Amino acid sequence: MADVAARAGVSRALVSLVFRNAPGASEQTRERVFQVAEEIGYRPDSAARLLASSRTKVLGVTITLRHPFHAEIVERIYPVAEELGYEILLSAVAPTHSEHRAIDALLDHRCEGVILLAEVDEHYLSTVGKKVPAVAVSTRATGAGVDLVHSAEAKGVRQALDHLITLGHKKIVHIDGGDGAGSTERRRAYRAAMRKHDLAGFARVIPGDHTEQAGVRGAELMLSEGELPTAVLASNDRCALGLLDALRRAGVRVPDDVSVVGYDDSHVATLSYIDLTTVHQDVEGIAQRAVRAVVERIEGTGSESREIVLEPSLVVRGTTAPPRSV
């Protein structure tokens, strides 16, 4: 900063005002300071500036790598945070980097609040909520004392099942998401919908998770048994993609032989060669509500912990059709 000041012919204090976008410098001076800074390759040390302040104006976000739904939420989080005057710091969960480590990294960087897209157990979520304002997305940990933002999972599953049953399907299998976000509610809603339509005798849940590998394993299991269901509700779009790939490699035609429904309506579901029927989650609404909820807590305008539920909707594309017998 001293180098910029000397070269621009102004004081170091004036350079500081310019880079903090504070009043006190003319437009001509600002342009000169920025020009000199660019010439000598100077960038303000934001970390040092934050250390001198009691506020960081940074929100931390945990994500799971290779999860397209998380990527789409993050993309929409940025403009909302910017509108409210906050920056975003991401921390990824990976096989060698646990949820706890991802969150601790954000806290170590003095994030004022955190938005948790990656799954975390309720006990640790409660601990995090006592340290910093926190919002958990797609989690139903109502006893954790943090704000929750999620879709009405059961309603989305009912819409998917109603669609398949209206087409004439009875043998509908669900590959579940294990202990992943929303999985318990989706599994429970699947069984309830099958009972409601007097199809409990056809109901079957294959254990899985929210990955492509779960879809592949589910397909391999069903193929090995020699008799396929007429429709499959996958735990999410990633699981559905693995299922589609394994079925097509085995010569099974989708939707002629088996209909497939996903959950999330991620970007890949819209690709012409995927064309996946899936339950749409309001990504824009989730991002908006999550950012505003955590900022309200930071700024002291939030109430007690709350649960914000958004409406899902079924998007019918090319992977569902009536079963061949109908």
Side-chain angles (χ1 to χ4, degrees):
M1 195 177 292
D3 292 340
V4 173
R7 190 157 177 172
V10 298
S11 69
R12 187 181 184 282
L14 194 57
V15 172
S16 176
L17 287 176
V18 170
F19 280 112
R20 287 188 287 112
N21 199 29
S26 69
E27 189 61 35
Q28 183 179 2
T29 299
R30 290 179 184 277
E31 290 178 2
R32 174 61 180 156
V33 168
F34 285 130
Q35 179 183 346
V36 169
E38 185 175 354
E39 288 173 357
I40 69 173
Y42 170 75
R43 288 179 58 84
D45 188 342
S46 58
R49 186 172 69 248
L50 292 176
L51 284 172
S53 170
S54 61
R55 295 290 304 275
T56 65
K57 302 288 282 185
V58 174
L59 304 178
V61 180
T62 62
I63 61 171
T64 301
L65 293 176
R66 296 193 298 174
H67 199 317
F69 183 60
H70 286 183
E72 291 175 22
I73 295 176
V74 168
E75 185 178 330
R76 288 162 176 82
I77 280 176
Y78 273 103
V80 186
E82 183 178 353
E83 176 189 339
L84 299 176
Y86 286 80
E87 294 290 340
I88 294 297
L89 181 64
L90 300 179
S91 187
V93 174
T96 58
H97 199 248
S98 70
E99 295 88 347
H100 293 199
R101 289 183 63 189
I103 295 170
D104 287 345
L106 296 175
L107 300 182
D108 289 344
H109 282 81
R110 298 180 62 210
C111 291
E112 292 194 48
V114 292
I115 299 172
L116 308 178
L117 304 184
E119 299 153 22
V120 61
D121 63 90
E122 185 169 341
H123 175 73
Y124 189 68
L125 182 57
S126 178
T127 301
V128 172
K130 293 173 183 175
K131 296 178 180 179
V132 66
V135 174
V137 173
S138 298
T139 296
R140 297 291 292 276
T142 52
V146 303
D147 288 340
L148 308 176
V149 178
H150 62 85
S151 291
E153 308 283 359
K155 187 170 185 178
V157 170
R158 286 196 298 270
Q159 291 176 5
L161 267 292
D162 287 349
H163 168 64
L164 291 171
I165 292 167
T166 299
L167 289 174
H169 293 278
K170 294 182 178 180
K171 296 179 64 177
I172 306 169
V173 166
H174 175 42
I175 302 176
D176 78 1
D179 57 1
S183 298
T184 300
E185 291 76 23
R186 295 173 196 178
R187 183 167 53 245
R188 186 183 297 126
Y190 161 77
R191 289 189 170 121
M194 293 294 278
R195 286 195 301 269
K196 173 188 172 184
H197 290 280
D198 295 323
L199 297 175
F202 294 101
R204 181 186 182 187
V205 176
I206 296 177
D209 54 47
H210 288 329
T211 67
E212 293 85 351
Q213 289 75 21
V216 172
R217 291 194 301 269
E220 290 174 346
L221 175 61
M222 291 183 288
L223 288 165
S224 70
E225 294 171 343
E227 184 177 356
L228 291 170
T230 62
V232 179
L233 171 63
S235 67
N236 68 351
D237 288 354
R238 289 184 65 189
C239 178
L241 290 176
L243 175 67
L244 287 171
D245 183 61
L247 290 176
R248 287 168 175 167
R249 287 176 183 272
V252 178
R253 298 170 301 167
V254 177
D256 297 11
D257 300 323
V258 178
S259 287
V260 174
V261 179
Y263 205 108
D264 284 343
D265 195 24
S266 56
H267 171 68
V268 293
T270 68
L271 299 175
S272 60
Y273 59 91
I274 302 295
D275 202 28
L276 179 66
T277 294
T278 183
V279 177
H280 171 78
Q281 296 204 66
D282 182 3
V283 177
E284 190 76 39
I286 289 171
Q288 284 270 356
R289 297 298 190 90
V291 174
R292 294 187 184 280
V294 75
V295 169
E296 286 173 10
R297 289 231 171 270
I298 292 169
E299 299 183 354
T301 59
S303 58
E304 293 298 315
S305 59
R306 54 194 165 164
E307 185 174 5
I308 302 168
V309 183
L310 290 90
E311 292 292 303
S313 58
L314 182 70
V315 180
V316 178
R317 297 193 179 97
T319 58
T320 52
R324 284 183 299 172
S325 58
V326 174

